[in-house]
Amino acid sequence: MDAPAPRSGEAPEDPFALHNSASAVLDEHGRVVGWSERAQEHLGYLPDEVLGRMAFEFLFDDRDREAVRDAAAACRHDGGWSGILPVLHRSGRRVELGFRARAVIRAGSAREWFLVVAPAEEVLRWETDRSVLDGLFRRSPIGLSVHAPDLSILRINRALARFTQLSTAEIRSRSIGDFLIGPDVEIIETRLRRVLETGAPLIFTEQPCRLRSDPDHERVVSVSAFRMQDPSGEILGVTQLVEDVTDRYRARRRLALLNRASTRIGTTLDLGQTTRELADVAVPDLADAVSVDLLESVVRGEEPAEEAGGGPVRRMAVHSVMAEALRVMFSTGEVFHFDPRTPQARCLAEQQPILEPVLRSSPGWYFQDPERTRRAFGLEAHSLIVVPLTARGLLLGLLSLWRAERPEPFEEDDLTLAEEFAARAALCIDNARRYTQQHQAAVTLQRSLLPQELPEYSAVEVAHLYLPAETATGVGGDWFDVIPLSGARVALVVGDVVGHGLHAAATMGRLRTAVHTLASLDYAPDEVLSHLDDLVNRLADEQELAGGRSRGRQIVGATCLYAVYDPTSRRCTLARAGHLPPAVVTSDGAVSVPDLPEGPPLGLGGLPFESAELELAEGSLLALYTDGLVEAHGLDLDEGLERLRAALSRPGRSLEETCADVQHALLPDHPPDDVALLLARTRVLAAEQVASWELPAEPTAAARARHLTETTLNTWGLGELAFTAELVVSELVTNAYRYGGGTPVTLRLIRDRSLICEVSDSSSTAPHLRRARTTDEGGRGLFLVAQLTERWGTRYTRDGKTVWTELPLAAAAEGTPGQSSRPSRSSVPAT
């Protein structure tokens, strides 16, 4: 349907419009034969004063006559003329006017000249405007198109013709859809119709567009538009200005992408999170699918080798705008080698970026996995970029980017952009790698310093909680321990070294080793703390001697709580060095904090420690902890202890559940101080597992001990151990008789995870293992005991000493039923 013809109208700015201009008529001789009212207004002459007179005689100054003659000659030659001439006003002043002269043919072939004049200033302004308009269509670098109300194209300028690759004649009367692809046409036409309907202009609105002549390349244009209407208000159409801003848009997008990469990549020191952030940044702004692969050594936190190009890689992250692509690509966590013929292998080997604009022309891509390649081509994957991830001269892995949904292939600009943000990401990945390396070293240190899996104990059931304040290193100055002792007893330890981090952890490791050594000597709790106090003083002296050479913080103090629990007597002996007392929870949930002698912190030196003894019912819960547990959240000590009481007072839970409840009730996500908690639920050995006798200091004591041992072991079903146990007991009782000073000897047998034999006397003389010479009559007894038992040792009590041995119960099971495995007595050497 044709567009309706617009109504005519004069532009108010046109100086030659009827309502603005003056007019006159000259005959062929130059005589004035017509004069308008506007001419009278501009020049001051009345019609009667000019009609019939020669215009050359009164309208022009002598100085201008030559210019007037030239204009008249041109007018006669060309049939018309336009220009500016000075004219004399009736007052005698010169007035510059713009002229338009056209020949008019009268009847009889007479020729007259119709003149239209206007002030020269207005004419010049009008001509300037027309020049601008002409420049917009002929010389402007910005595209311009004029559309009728139905949006058909009336005219375009040369710049837009070059953009569309069509001539101005070819595009006239066509629609926008004739040279743009459908979705882009709908966007543009919707906006232009809105301008036509509302009159509100469209200003610098950017949008993508694809030309039908080049559909594989997306352009970005900036569009401005305004409605056209004549002086009467009739809508004539819409004009739009189109500027190709593709390069500017890409540069802005590149900067935005780099800015996002710098803010979104490396938010943590976790390798997996960092690589996922890299993949998320690249899609969809740069690629339709992306994968991040790191060398396996990098994932482990190791320093990558210089010749790492051929090593295995681990797929760390994948991301795609297409869900099907994720099923085609290798999954996260897979470890594999790139085929040497693939672009990825070349990238790793050469450490140079690879650009494959058209994948089908790159046969190397097929070699990695032909089936995956076939499925990828089915998804229309057509272009690839592979960029090495390098930082500080080290090759860490590579970044692969694909395009499938976006039709345009990767270009050099895309490769430059991928290199820029891959370089930034590689630095973050290397930081994460180095952190992983340090963290693994710290975790290794922690595992070597603290017990990881506590074994089963007959004396107690235990659970623990350990949270270092410095999560970056994973270690701290707090520690706990459960140490088996002789006689089925167990030592429970919790300590706190001043400070945090690796320096405190190193000191803690030395103290923990010392505690193990002192526990193996069976020292009483107060004696253990005295020896630890001496050790801390020596550590402080060592750091003082280091002086300015010491770069770490001075670790000169610690607190400790040491407890020994005996399941045969249900007694627990405790001593503390500046440490908080434990909490004791009965089986019904009642919580109490026993009043123990406080003792000074370790490191003060020269001050005594005292022990206290508690009797614990079976099933009692003993909670040992450090101050970081009860002083978190900024709580004062009393409030923290009250919360701990509440968390411990609910019976019927496992120890692990109790640990979790305590953590939830007292600790934030990131405690400001190291935290250690050790829970121990007491057990009691049954009466039938323990046998004890007091033997008089007589020569027959050894024989009596052998008889009691044999009878008891047969009752316990351990007859296969009787002969060995008799030999051990006989030797220990004989030694106690000889060196015990004539006081009674106590023999005790304990059936636990091993058979424990104990002989106690009032002497403080320690037995020593030695190798007897051939001529010696004695000295072979303890050697025999050491060979027959699994462990043996001596512990001192207030009343003397106890020599103990342990025989593994497994030995009893080695004999075949009905066949004794006990050796003959004649095969045993005399003691």
Side-chain angles (χ1 to χ4, degrees):
M1 182 175 178
D2 294 334
R7 295 188 307 176
S8 61
E10 293 185 327
E13 300 86 2
D14 185 356
F16 294 108
L18 293 177
H19 63 282
N20 288 335
S21 62
S23 60
V25 180
L26 303 181
D27 63 13
E28 61 183 352
H29 303 293
R31 184 179 289 107
V32 179
V33 296
W35 193 256
S36 70
E37 293 181 1
R38 283 284 184 182
Q40 178 181 335
E41 292 177 6
H42 285 310
L43 298 176
Y45 294 102
L46 297 174
D48 293 342
E49 295 176 324
V50 297
L51 290 175
R53 297 179 62 183
M54 297 295 291
F56 194 75
E57 296 176 353
F58 72 95
L59 284 179
F60 302 103
D61 190 272
D62 291 341
R63 293 171 295 178
D64 304 318
R65 290 182 184 278
E66 187 65 30
V68 174
R69 288 191 184 95
D70 291 342
C75 187
R76 284 191 296 269
H77 182 271
D78 299 329
W81 178 85
S82 64
I84 296 175
L85 289 174
V87 179
L88 285 176
H89 190 272
R90 187 174 183 276
S91 63
R93 59 186 175 88
R94 295 167 74 224
V95 178
E96 289 191 344
L97 296 178
F99 282 80
R100 283 185 179 179
R102 288 290 183 267
V104 178
I105 306 301
R106 295 288 187 181
S109 299
R111 186 166 58 172
E112 293 181 348
W113 301 96
F114 179 68
L115 305 177
V116 181
V117 298
E121 181 180 352
E122 297 179 8
V123 172
L124 289 173
R125 184 165 55 247
W126 174 252
E127 291 299 331
T128 301
D129 292 346
R130 291 178 61 84
S131 176
V132 170
L133 183 62
D134 180 71
L136 287 175
F137 278 97
R138 295 180 181 275
R139 289 174 291 278
S140 172
I142 299 176
L144 179 69
S145 63
V146 181
H147 301 262
D150 63 353
L151 298 185
S152 61
I153 299 174
L154 299 176
R155 186 179 179 184
I156 66 170
N157 69 350
R158 292 178 180 178
L160 192 58
R162 289 192 298 270
F163 180 76
T164 60
Q165 300 181 1
L166 296 173
S167 67
T168 56
E170 288 175 324
I171 205 169
R172 188 173 293 122
S173 299
R174 292 192 181 189
S175 66
I176 299 174
D178 290 333
F179 59 92
L180 290 185
I181 293 178
D184 302 326
V185 174
E186 183 179 353
I187 295 173
I188 293 176
E189 289 187 343
T190 299
R191 290 173 173 171
L192 293 182
R193 287 193 181 95
R194 189 179 302 117
V195 172
L196 280 170
E197 294 170 0
T198 64
L202 188 67
I203 301 174
F204 299 125
T205 301
E206 290 186 358
Q207 67 180 66
C209 69
R210 286 186 174 87
L211 298 173
R212 291 188 178 276
S213 59
D214 188 15
D216 290 339
H217 288 83
E218 183 183 70
R219 298 173 182 267
V220 178
V221 294
S222 174
V223 177
S224 298
F226 59 89
R227 187 170 70 183
M228 300 183 300
Q229 55 192 60
D230 64 16
S232 65
E234 183 73 18
I235 297 176
L236 303 178
V238 62
T239 296
Q240 67 170 344
L241 292 89
V242 181
E243 182 181 6
D244 186 353
V245 294
T246 304
D247 292 341
R248 187 172 67 198
Y249 171 81
R250 289 179 177 176
R252 189 169 66 244
R253 186 189 65 177
R254 181 182 297 112
L255 291 175
L257 184 57
L258 291 175
N259 182 62
R260 284 198 299 275
S262 62
T263 57
R264 292 175 54 185
I265 299 176
T267 59
T268 70
L269 289 173
D270 178 76
L271 270 176
Q273 179 66 23
T274 302
T275 53
R276 286 192 295 272
E277 291 168 347
L278 169 58
D280 292 343
V281 167
V283 175
D285 290 336
L286 182 59
D288 296 323
V290 64
S291 65
V292 183
D293 303 305
L294 297 183
L295 299 175
E296 183 67 6
S297 58
V298 173
V299 178
R300 294 193 298 266
E302 301 171 1
E303 196 83 4
E306 293 184 2
E307 303 295 332
V313 297
R314 181 185 294 270
R315 177 61 49 88
M316 297 297 296
V318 292
H319 189 35
S320 175
V321 296
M322 305 170 293
E324 181 62 27
L326 299 178
R327 292 187 283 272
V328 173
M329 303 167 71
F330 286 109
S331 301
T332 301
E334 288 192 58
V335 179
F336 54 92
H337 288 77
F338 281 113
D339 188 282
R341 295 164 290 185
T342 59
Q344 285 85 352
R346 285 190 286 123
C347 176
L348 288 175
E350 301 170 7
Q351 297 188 29
Q352 295 295 325
I354 303 293
L355 171 61
E356 298 285 357
V358 182
L359 273 178
R360 291 186 183 273
S361 65
S362 173
W365 203 40
Y366 286 92
F367 292 114
Q368 185 66 34
D369 192 325
E371 175 59 24
R372 290 178 186 268
T373 303
R374 182 189 64 78
R375 293 167 61 192
F377 281 152
L379 296 175
E380 300 183 352
H382 61 84
S383 194
L384 170 68
I385 285 179
V386 185
V387 181
L389 296 171
T390 57
R392 302 181 179 95
L394 299 176
L395 176 65
L396 307 175
L398 56 83
L399 171 70
S400 302
L401 305 105
W402 289 267
R403 278 187 178 172
E405 286 194 344
R406 190 180 306 187
E408 62 268 17
F410 285 118
E411 300 175 346
E412 289 294 335
D413 285 347
D414 298 314
L415 178 61
T416 301
L417 177 59
E419 287 182 279
E420 288 178 356
F421 79 80
R424 300 189 183 194
L427 188 60
C428 296
I429 290 173
D430 191 49
N431 289 337
R433 176 195 67 81
R434 298 170 76 179
Y435 165 77
T436 300
Q437 184 182 48
Q438 297 299 320
H439 181 68
Q440 288 178 348
V443 170
T444 301
L445 174 62
Q446 178 194 22
R447 290 175 177 172
S448 67
L449 295 179
L450 293 175
Q452 297 302 303
E453 295 294 335
L454 296 176
E456 288 288 331
Y457 299 99
S458 300
V460 290
E461 175 191 0
V462 294
H464 66 274
L465 171 68
Y466 181 81
L467 295 174
E470 293 191 4
T471 56
T473 59
V475 294
D478 289 8
W479 90 93
F480 65 92
D481 229 325
V482 181
I483 306 172
L485 303 176
S486 62
R489 298 169 305 137
V490 67
L492 306 173
V493 190
V494 167
D496 183 359
V497 174
V498 174
H500 310 295
L502 291 175
H503 294 286
T507 302
M508 175 267 286
R510 300 175 74 172
L511 294 182
R512 179 172 180 259
T513 302
V515 170
H516 272 263
T517 302
L518 296 171
S520 68
L521 298 175
D522 257 319
Y523 282 126
D526 55 334
E527 294 177 314
V528 169
L529 296 183
S530 295
H531 287 289
L532 283 181
D533 184 53
D534 293 338
L535 175 61
V536 172
N537 283 326
R538 287 197 299 272
L539 294 179
D541 292 340
E542 289 177 5
Q543 292 196 352
E544 289 181 5
L545 290 174
R549 297 188 302 274
S550 177
R551 296 185 178 181
R553 291 171 290 181
Q554 297 283 317
I555 307 296
V556 296
T559 65
C560 183
L561 174 62
Y562 188 91
V564 175
Y565 174 69
D566 187 344
T568 62
S569 64
R570 297 187 291 108
R571 293 192 172 276
C572 182
T573 306
L574 308 95
R576 61 184 180 124
H579 204 87
L580 294 173
V584 179
V585 188
T586 62
S587 58
D588 59 358
V591 182
S592 62
V593 177
D595 185 16
L596 303 179
E598 183 173 355
L602 301 175
L604 295 184
L607 298 177
F609 298 93
E610 297 182 46
S611 297
E613 192 171 78
L614 304 176
E615 185 172 336
L616 303 176
E618 183 176 6
S620 297
L621 179 63
L622 197 63
L624 289 73
Y625 51 89
T626 57
D627 56 2
L629 178 69
V630 293
E631 294 179 352
H633 284 300
L635 303 175
D636 60 38
L637 182 58
D638 292 338
E639 187 177 0
L641 290 175
E642 190 59 35
R643 287 194 182 188
L644 178 61
R645 289 173 183 267
L648 294 173
S649 62
R650 295 188 289 274
R653 296 168 298 168
S654 68
L655 294 185
E656 289 74 15
E657 291 172 337
T658 303
C659 277
D661 289 345
V662 170
Q663 181 178 2
H664 178 73
L666 281 88
L667 297 177
D669 293 336
H670 301 288
D673 193 8
D674 300 332
V675 173
L677 170 66
L678 178 63
L679 299 181
R681 181 170 286 138
T682 61
R683 292 168 174 164
V684 176
L685 293 182
E688 59 269 18
Q689 292 180 263
V690 181
S692 180
W693 306 272
E694 186 175 282
L695 305 176
E698 299 175 352
T700 59
R704 174 67 176 163
R706 288 194 296 270
H707 172 72
L708 293 173
T709 299
E710 180 180 20
T711 303
T712 303
L713 293 185
N714 286 331
T715 303
W716 287 348
L718 300 177
E720 298 298 331
L721 283 178
F723 180 69
T724 303
E726 287 178 42
L727 290 175
V728 171
V729 167
S730 178
E731 176 60 31
L732 297 182
V733 171
T734 299
N735 283 344
Y737 167 71
R738 289 179 178 177
Y739 308 111
T743 58
V745 176
T746 301
L747 169 65
R748 187 170 71 161
L749 301 179
I750 302 174
R751 178 170 56 86
D752 188 29
R753 299 177 187 273
S754 61
L755 176 64
I756 301 171
C757 304
E758 295 182 344
V759 174
S760 304
D761 60 53
S762 59
S763 172
S764 59
T765 304
H768 295 286
L769 182 66
R770 65 184 180 90
R771 185 177 295 277
R773 291 173 296 187
T774 307
T775 58
D776 290 343
E777 295 184 1
R780 299 177 179 84
L782 281 182
F783 180 79
L784 178 64
V785 169
Q787 298 302 310
L788 295 176
T789 60
E790 186 176 52
R791 296 172 60 213
W792 76 279
T794 304
R795 69 173 181 269
Y796 292 93
T797 65
R798 292 186 177 90
D799 302 323
K801 70 176 185 297
T802 298
V803 181
W804 55 269
T805 64
E806 293 182 3
L807 284 78
L809 296 184
E814 292 177 359
T816 303
Q819 179 180 354
S820 174
S821 61
R822 81 188 264 162
S824 64
R825 294 185 182 271
S826 60
S827 64
V828 181
T831 56

